[in-house]
PDB file of all heavy atoms in Angstrom:
ATOM      1  N   ILE D   1      -8.145  -2.968 -21.176  1.00 93.00           N
ATOM      2  CA  ILE D   1      -7.033  -2.025 -21.351  1.00 93.00           C
ATOM      3  C   ILE D   1      -6.577  -1.467 -19.997  1.00 93.00           C
ATOM      4  O   ILE D   1      -5.377  -1.390 -19.701  1.00 93.00           O
ATOM      5  CB  ILE D   1      -7.448  -0.880 -22.289  1.00 93.00           C
ATOM      6  CG1 ILE D   1      -7.766  -1.437 -23.677  1.00 93.00           C
ATOM      7  CG2 ILE D   1      -6.349   0.171 -22.374  1.00 93.00           C
ATOM      8  CD1 ILE D   1      -8.390  -0.429 -24.623  1.00 93.00           C
ATOM      9  N   GLY D   2      -7.553  -1.097 -19.160  1.00 90.00           N
ATOM     10  CA  GLY D   2      -7.226  -0.531 -17.857  1.00 90.00           C
ATOM     11  C   GLY D   2      -6.531  -1.526 -16.954  1.00 90.00           C
ATOM     12  O   GLY D   2      -5.609  -1.161 -16.210  1.00 90.00           O
ATOM     13  N   ALA D   3      -6.934  -2.783 -17.008  1.00 91.00           N
ATOM     14  CA  ALA D   3      -6.315  -3.803 -16.167  1.00 91.00           C
ATOM     15  C   ALA D   3      -4.835  -3.955 -16.489  1.00 91.00           C
ATOM     16  O   ALA D   3      -4.005  -4.127 -15.583  1.00 91.00           O
ATOM     17  CB  ALA D   3      -7.047  -5.138 -16.337  1.00 91.00           C
ATOM     18  N   ALA D   4      -4.494  -3.873 -17.762  1.00 90.00           N
ATOM     19  CA  ALA D   4      -3.093  -3.990 -18.167  1.00 90.00           C
ATOM     20  C   ALA D   4      -2.271  -2.817 -17.613  1.00 90.00           C
ATOM     21  O   ALA D   4      -1.141  -3.000 -17.142  1.00 90.00           O
ATOM     22  CB  ALA D   4      -2.989  -4.032 -19.685  1.00 90.00           C
ATOM     23  N   TRP D   5      -2.829  -1.612 -17.661  1.00 89.00           N
ATOM     24  CA  TRP D   5      -2.123  -0.429 -17.153  1.00 89.00           C
ATOM     25  C   TRP D   5      -1.986  -0.490 -15.631  1.00 89.00           C
ATOM     26  O   TRP D   5      -0.935  -0.175 -15.070  1.00 89.00           O
ATOM     27  CB  TRP D   5      -2.883   0.823 -17.577  1.00 89.00           C
ATOM     28  CG  TRP D   5      -2.271   2.102 -17.075  1.00 89.00           C
ATOM     29  CD1 TRP D   5      -1.011   2.554 -17.287  1.00 89.00           C
ATOM     30  CD2 TRP D   5      -2.920   3.083 -16.257  1.00 89.00           C
ATOM     31  NE1 TRP D   5      -0.824   3.775 -16.669  1.00 89.00           N
ATOM     32  CE2 TRP D   5      -1.973   4.120 -16.038  1.00 89.00           C
ATOM     33  CE3 TRP D   5      -4.196   3.195 -15.717  1.00 89.00           C
ATOM     34  CZ2 TRP D   5      -2.288   5.247 -15.281  1.00 89.00           C
ATOM     35  CZ3 TRP D   5      -4.496   4.327 -14.970  1.00 89.00           C
ATOM     36  CH2 TRP D   5      -3.551   5.337 -14.756  1.00 89.00           C
ATOM     37  N   ILE D   6      -3.050  -0.913 -14.939  1.00 88.00           N
ATOM     38  CA  ILE D   6      -3.026  -0.991 -13.478  1.00 88.00           C
ATOM     39  C   ILE D   6      -2.014  -2.030 -13.002  1.00 88.00           C
ATOM     40  O   ILE D   6      -1.345  -1.842 -11.983  1.00 88.00           O
ATOM     41  CB  ILE D   6      -4.442  -1.309 -12.946  1.00 88.00           C
ATOM     42  CG1 ILE D   6      -5.361  -0.122 -13.217  1.00 88.00           C
ATOM     43  CG2 ILE D   6      -4.414  -1.631 -11.454  1.00 88.00           C
ATOM     44  CD1 ILE D   6      -6.823  -0.436 -13.022  1.00 88.00           C
ATOM     45  N   PHE D   7      -1.894  -3.124 -13.732  1.00 86.00           N
ATOM     46  CA  PHE D   7      -0.907  -4.145 -13.387  1.00 86.00           C
ATOM     47  C   PHE D   7       0.499  -3.562 -13.375  1.00 86.00           C
ATOM     48  O   PHE D   7       1.311  -3.845 -12.487  1.00 86.00           O
ATOM     49  CB  PHE D   7      -0.984  -5.309 -14.374  1.00 86.00           C
ATOM     50  CG  PHE D   7       0.074  -6.350 -14.153  1.00 86.00           C
ATOM     51  CD1 PHE D   7      -0.029  -7.254 -13.106  1.00 86.00           C
ATOM     52  CD2 PHE D   7       1.185  -6.418 -14.991  1.00 86.00           C
ATOM     53  CE1 PHE D   7       0.949  -8.205 -12.891  1.00 86.00           C
ATOM     54  CE2 PHE D   7       2.166  -7.367 -14.778  1.00 86.00           C
ATOM     55  CZ  PHE D   7       2.050  -8.263 -13.729  1.00 86.00           C
ATOM     56  N   LYS D   8       0.774  -2.693 -14.342  1.00 82.00           N
ATOM     57  CA  LYS D   8       2.090  -2.057 -14.416  1.00 82.00           C
ATOM     58  C   LYS D   8       2.320  -1.136 -13.215  1.00 82.00           C
ATOM     59  O   LYS D   8       3.442  -1.050 -12.695  1.00 82.00           O
ATOM     60  CB  LYS D   8       2.197  -1.265 -15.721  1.00 82.00           C
ATOM     61  CG  LYS D   8       3.535  -0.569 -15.910  1.00 82.00           C
ATOM     62  CD  LYS D   8       3.572   0.185 -17.240  1.00 82.00           C
ATOM     63  CE  LYS D   8       4.902   0.910 -17.417  1.00 82.00           C
ATOM     64  NZ  LYS D   8       4.944   1.669 -18.704  1.00 82.00           N
ATOM     65  N   LEU D   9       1.265  -0.459 -12.748  1.00 80.00           N
ATOM     66  CA  LEU D   9       1.399   0.496 -11.645  1.00 80.00           C
ATOM     67  C   LEU D   9       1.542  -0.179 -10.287  1.00 80.00           C
ATOM     68  O   LEU D   9       2.198   0.355  -9.387  1.00 80.00           O
ATOM     69  CB  LEU D   9       0.184   1.426 -11.606  1.00 80.00           C
ATOM     70  CG  LEU D   9       0.032   2.435 -12.745  1.00 80.00           C
ATOM     71  CD1 LEU D   9      -1.287   3.177 -12.614  1.00 80.00           C
ATOM     72  CD2 LEU D   9       1.185   3.431 -12.760  1.00 80.00           C
ATOM     73  N   THR D  10       0.918  -1.329 -10.116  1.00 74.00           N
ATOM     74  CA  THR D  10       0.798  -1.921  -8.766  1.00 74.00           C
ATOM     75  C   THR D  10       1.599  -3.193  -8.568  1.00 74.00           C
ATOM     76  O   THR D  10       1.497  -3.817  -7.514  1.00 74.00           O
ATOM     77  CB  THR D  10      -0.683  -2.232  -8.469  1.00 74.00           C
ATOM     78  OG1 THR D  10      -1.182  -3.165  -9.454  1.00 74.00           O
ATOM     79  CG2 THR D  10      -1.525  -0.973  -8.502  1.00 74.00           C
ATOM     80  N   ARG D  11       2.420  -3.586  -9.521  1.00 71.00           N
ATOM     81  CA  ARG D  11       3.096  -4.879  -9.402  1.00 71.00           C
ATOM     82  C   ARG D  11       4.187  -4.877  -8.332  1.00 71.00           C
ATOM     83  O   ARG D  11       4.593  -5.929  -7.844  1.00 71.00           O
ATOM     84  CB  ARG D  11       3.693  -5.297 -10.745  1.00 71.00           C
ATOM     85  CG  ARG D  11       4.694  -4.305 -11.329  1.00 71.00           C
ATOM     86  CD  ARG D  11       5.181  -4.761 -12.683  1.00 71.00           C
ATOM     87  NE  ARG D  11       6.052  -3.773 -13.314  1.00 71.00           N
ATOM     88  CZ  ARG D  11       6.641  -3.965 -14.481  1.00 71.00           C
ATOM     89  NH1 ARG D  11       6.458  -5.097 -15.134  1.00 71.00           N
ATOM     90  NH2 ARG D  11       7.404  -3.018 -14.996  1.00 71.00           N
ATOM     91  N   LYS D  12       4.691  -3.701  -7.929  1.00 62.00           N
ATOM     92  CA  LYS D  12       5.730  -3.637  -6.901  1.00 62.00           C
ATOM     93  C   LYS D  12       5.224  -2.804  -5.720  1.00 62.00           C
ATOM     94  O   LYS D  12       5.199  -1.584  -5.780  1.00 62.00           O
ATOM     95  CB  LYS D  12       7.014  -3.018  -7.461  1.00 62.00           C
ATOM     96  CG  LYS D  12       7.679  -3.883  -8.528  1.00 62.00           C
ATOM     97  CD  LYS D  12       8.973  -3.245  -9.006  1.00 62.00           C
ATOM     98  CE  LYS D  12       9.655  -4.111 -10.063  1.00 62.00           C
ATOM     99  NZ  LYS D  12      10.922  -3.493 -10.552  1.00 62.00           N
ATOM    100  N   THR D  13       4.794  -3.481  -4.662  1.00 56.00           N
ATOM    101  CA  THR D  13       4.264  -2.781  -3.482  1.00 56.00           C
ATOM    102  C   THR D  13       4.954  -3.225  -2.199  1.00 56.00           C
ATOM    103  O   THR D  13       4.521  -2.874  -1.104  1.00 56.00           O
ATOM    104  CB  THR D  13       2.754  -3.054  -3.349  1.00 56.00           C
ATOM    105  OG1 THR D  13       2.540  -4.474  -3.231  1.00 56.00           O
ATOM    106  CG2 THR D  13       1.991  -2.526  -4.541  1.00 56.00           C
ATOM    107  N   GLU D  14       6.036  -3.996  -2.307  1.00 51.00           N
ATOM    108  CA  GLU D  14       6.688  -4.538  -1.111  1.00 51.00           C
ATOM    109  C   GLU D  14       7.286  -3.458  -0.226  1.00 51.00           C
ATOM    110  O   GLU D  14       7.420  -3.631   0.987  1.00 51.00           O
ATOM    111  CB  GLU D  14       7.797  -5.527  -1.510  1.00 51.00           C
ATOM    112  CG  GLU D  14       7.303  -6.779  -2.238  1.00 51.00           C
ATOM    113  CD  GLU D  14       7.103  -6.546  -3.730  1.00 51.00           C
ATOM    114  OE1 GLU D  14       7.317  -5.402  -4.183  1.00 51.00           O
ATOM    115  OE2 GLU D  14       6.731  -7.500  -4.424  1.00 51.00           O
ATOM    116  N   SER D  15       7.675  -2.315  -0.809  1.00 52.00           N
ATOM    117  CA  SER D  15       8.351  -1.278  -0.033  1.00 52.00           C
ATOM    118  C   SER D  15       7.398  -0.447   0.818  1.00 52.00           C
ATOM    119  O   SER D  15       7.830   0.350   1.646  1.00 52.00           O
ATOM    120  CB  SER D  15       9.114  -0.333  -0.973  1.00 52.00           C
ATOM    121  OG  SER D  15       8.231   0.303  -1.875  1.00 52.00           O
ATOM    122  N   LEU D  16       6.105  -0.629   0.644  1.00 52.00           N
ATOM    123  CA  LEU D  16       5.144   0.158   1.401  1.00 52.00           C
ATOM    124  C   LEU D  16       5.077  -0.304   2.847  1.00 52.00           C
ATOM    125  O   LEU D  16       5.228  -1.487   3.150  1.00 52.00           O
ATOM    126  CB  LEU D  16       3.752   0.050   0.762  1.00 52.00           C
ATOM    127  CG  LEU D  16       3.610   0.640  -0.646  1.00 52.00           C
ATOM    128  CD1 LEU D  16       2.199   0.450  -1.143  1.00 52.00           C
ATOM    129  CD2 LEU D  16       3.987   2.109  -0.662  1.00 52.00           C
ATOM    130  N   GLU D  17       4.807   0.623   3.747  1.00 53.00           N
ATOM    131  CA  GLU D  17       4.715   0.313   5.170  1.00 53.00           C
ATOM    132  C   GLU D  17       3.521  -0.590   5.436  1.00 53.00           C
ATOM    133  O   GLU D  17       2.414  -0.306   4.977  1.00 53.00           O
ATOM    134  CB  GLU D  17       4.555   1.614   5.959  1.00 53.00           C
ATOM    135  CG  GLU D  17       4.493   1.418   7.463  1.00 53.00           C
ATOM    136  CD  GLU D  17       4.292   2.737   8.183  1.00 53.00           C
ATOM    137  OE1 GLU D  17       3.621   3.617   7.625  1.00 53.00           O
ATOM    138  OE2 GLU D  17       4.809   2.891   9.291  1.00 53.00           O
ATOM    139  N   PRO D  18       3.686  -1.678   6.174  1.00 50.00           N
ATOM    140  CA  PRO D  18       2.568  -2.570   6.467  1.00 50.00           C
ATOM    141  C   PRO D  18       1.470  -1.844   7.233  1.00 50.00           C
ATOM    142  O   PRO D  18       1.744  -1.004   8.088  1.00 50.00           O
ATOM    143  CB  PRO D  18       3.196  -3.667   7.331  1.00 50.00           C
ATOM    144  CG  PRO D  18       4.652  -3.623   7.008  1.00 50.00           C
ATOM    145  CD  PRO D  18       4.957  -2.184   6.724  1.00 50.00           C
ATOM    146  N   ALA D  19       0.210  -2.171   6.923  1.00 46.00           N
ATOM    147  CA  ALA D  19      -0.913  -1.506   7.583  1.00 46.00           C
ATOM    148  C   ALA D  19      -0.923  -1.755   9.078  1.00 46.00           C
ATOM    149  O   ALA D  19      -1.259  -0.881   9.866  1.00 46.00           O
ATOM    150  CB  ALA D  19      -2.231  -1.982   6.957  1.00 46.00           C
ATOM    151  N   VAL D  20      -0.517  -2.956   9.501  1.00 46.00           N
ATOM    152  CA  VAL D  20      -0.548  -3.271  10.929  1.00 46.00           C
ATOM    153  C   VAL D  20       0.454  -2.429  11.702  1.00 46.00           C
ATOM    154  O   VAL D  20       0.228  -2.041  12.842  1.00 46.00           O
ATOM    155  CB  VAL D  20      -0.285  -4.776  11.158  1.00 46.00           C
ATOM    156  CG1 VAL D  20       1.141  -5.144  10.774  1.00 46.00           C
ATOM    157  CG2 VAL D  20      -0.530  -5.137  12.628  1.00 46.00           C
ATOM    158  N   LYS D  21       1.603  -2.091  11.083  1.00 46.00           N
ATOM    159  CA  LYS D  21       2.596  -1.231  11.736  1.00 46.00           C
ATOM    160  C   LYS D  21       2.079   0.198  11.831  1.00 46.00           C
ATOM    161  O   LYS D  21       2.211   0.863  12.848  1.00 46.00           O
ATOM    162  CB  LYS D  21       3.906  -1.266  10.949  1.00 46.00           C
ATOM    163  CG  LYS D  21       5.001  -0.393  11.561  1.00 46.00           C
ATOM    164  CD  LYS D  21       6.281  -0.505  10.742  1.00 46.00           C
ATOM    165  CE  LYS D  21       7.380   0.372  11.318  1.00 46.00           C
ATOM    166  NZ  LYS D  21       8.623   0.303  10.519  1.00 46.00           N
ATOM    167  N   LYS D  22       1.469   0.660  10.761  1.00 49.00           N
ATOM    168  CA  LYS D  22       0.946   2.018  10.748  1.00 49.00           C
ATOM    169  C   LYS D  22      -0.169   2.202  11.768  1.00 49.00           C
ATOM    170  O   LYS D  22      -0.349   3.281  12.324  1.00 49.00           O
ATOM    171  CB  LYS D  22       0.416   2.339   9.347  1.00 49.00           C
ATOM    172  CG  LYS D  22      -0.013   3.788   9.174  1.00 49.00           C
ATOM    173  CD  LYS D  22      -0.361   4.045   7.725  1.00 49.00           C
ATOM    174  CE  LYS D  22      -0.732   5.498   7.532  1.00 49.00           C
ATOM    175  NZ  LYS D  22      -1.019   5.816   6.134  1.00 49.00           N
ATOM    176  N   ALA D  23      -0.909   1.119  12.038  1.00 47.00           N
ATOM    177  CA  ALA D  23      -2.040   1.206  12.955  1.00 47.00           C
ATOM    178  C   ALA D  23      -1.612   1.574  14.369  1.00 47.00           C
ATOM    179  O   ALA D  23      -2.407   2.047  15.164  1.00 47.00           O
ATOM    180  CB  ALA D  23      -2.795  -0.118  12.977  1.00 47.00           C
ATOM    181  N   ARG D  24      -0.349   1.359  14.729  1.00 42.00           N
ATOM    182  CA  ARG D  24       0.115   1.684  16.073  1.00 42.00           C
ATOM    183  C   ARG D  24       0.015   3.171  16.367  1.00 42.00           C
ATOM    184  O   ARG D  24       0.008   3.584  17.515  1.00 42.00           O
ATOM    185  CB  ARG D  24       1.572   1.225  16.233  1.00 42.00           C
ATOM    186  CG  ARG D  24       1.754  -0.289  16.107  1.00 42.00           C
ATOM    187  CD  ARG D  24       3.233  -0.643  16.108  1.00 42.00           C
ATOM    188  NE  ARG D  24       3.439  -2.069  15.882  1.00 42.00           N
ATOM    189  CZ  ARG D  24       4.633  -2.622  15.653  1.00 42.00           C
ATOM    190  NH1 ARG D  24       5.717  -1.864  15.627  1.00 42.00           N
ATOM    191  NH2 ARG D  24       4.744  -3.926  15.436  1.00 42.00           N
ATOM    192  N   PHE D  25      -0.026   3.975  15.298  1.00 42.00           N
ATOM    193  CA  PHE D  25      -0.058   5.416  15.483  1.00 42.00           C
ATOM    194  C   PHE D  25      -1.481   5.958  15.510  1.00 42.00           C
ATOM    195  O   PHE D  25      -1.696   7.151  15.485  1.00 42.00           O
ATOM    196  CB  PHE D  25       0.737   6.100  14.361  1.00 42.00           C
ATOM    197  CG  PHE D  25       2.169   5.659  14.318  1.00 42.00           C
ATOM    198  CD1 PHE D  25       2.576   4.687  13.415  1.00 42.00           C
ATOM    199  CD2 PHE D  25       3.104   6.203  15.180  1.00 42.00           C
ATOM    200  CE1 PHE D  25       3.905   4.272  13.378  1.00 42.00           C
ATOM    201  CE2 PHE D  25       4.430   5.789  15.139  1.00 42.00           C
ATOM    202  CZ  PHE D  25       4.828   4.824  14.237  1.00 42.00           C
ATOM    203  N   SER D  26      -2.469   5.049  15.540  1.00 48.00           N
ATOM    204  CA  SER D  26      -3.860   5.478  15.574  1.00 48.00           C
ATOM    205  C   SER D  26      -4.138   6.277  16.842  1.00 48.00           C
ATOM    206  O   SER D  26      -3.707   5.923  17.924  1.00 48.00           O
ATOM    207  CB  SER D  26      -4.790   4.265  15.514  1.00 48.00           C
ATOM    208  OG  SER D  26      -6.123   4.660  15.686  1.00 48.00           O
ATOM    209  N   SER D  27      -4.899   7.375  16.705  1.00 47.00           N
ATOM    210  CA  SER D  27      -5.226   8.217  17.864  1.00 47.00           C
ATOM    211  C   SER D  27      -6.705   8.147  18.197  1.00 47.00           C
ATOM    212  O   SER D  27      -7.267   9.067  18.767  1.00 47.00           O
ATOM    213  CB  SER D  27      -4.842   9.673  17.562  1.00 47.00           C
ATOM    214  OG  SER D  27      -5.544  10.151  16.436  1.00 47.00           O
ATOM    215  N   VAL D  28      -7.358   7.047  17.829  1.00 53.00           N
ATOM    216  CA  VAL D  28      -8.791   6.918  18.015  1.00 53.00           C
ATOM    217  C   VAL D  28      -9.111   6.119  19.259  1.00 53.00           C
ATOM    218  O   VAL D  28      -8.508   5.081  19.512  1.00 53.00           O
ATOM    219  CB  VAL D  28      -9.443   6.248  16.781  1.00 53.00           C
ATOM    220  CG1 VAL D  28     -10.919   5.997  17.047  1.00 53.00           C
ATOM    221  CG2 VAL D  28      -9.273   7.131  15.568  1.00 53.00           C
ATOM    222  N   GLU D  29     -10.049   6.643  20.036  1.00 50.00           N
ATOM    223  CA  GLU D  29     -10.551   5.914  21.183  1.00 50.00           C
ATOM    224  C   GLU D  29     -11.853   5.236  20.768  1.00 50.00           C
ATOM    225  O   GLU D  29     -12.814   5.894  20.401  1.00 50.00           O
ATOM    226  CB  GLU D  29     -10.798   6.871  22.351  1.00 50.00           C
ATOM    227  CG  GLU D  29      -9.548   7.595  22.812  1.00 50.00           C
ATOM    228  CD  GLU D  29      -9.867   8.617  23.886  1.00 50.00           C
ATOM    229  OE1 GLU D  29     -11.010   8.621  24.371  1.00 50.00           O
ATOM    230  OE2 GLU D  29      -8.969   9.397  24.222  1.00 50.00           O
ATOM    231  N   GLY D  30     -11.906   3.923  20.800  1.00 54.00           N
ATOM    232  CA  GLY D  30     -13.098   3.216  20.385  1.00 54.00           C
ATOM    233  C   GLY D  30     -13.036   1.765  20.785  1.00 54.00           C
ATOM    234  O   GLY D  30     -12.279   1.375  21.671  1.00 54.00           O
TER     235      GLY D  30
END
């Protein structure tokens, strides 16, 4: 039952900012 509901929530994720682009703003020294 949960898998069916989660599919509805996550099927459209193209508009999210790519993780690699967001990583440019990292402020960590390591």
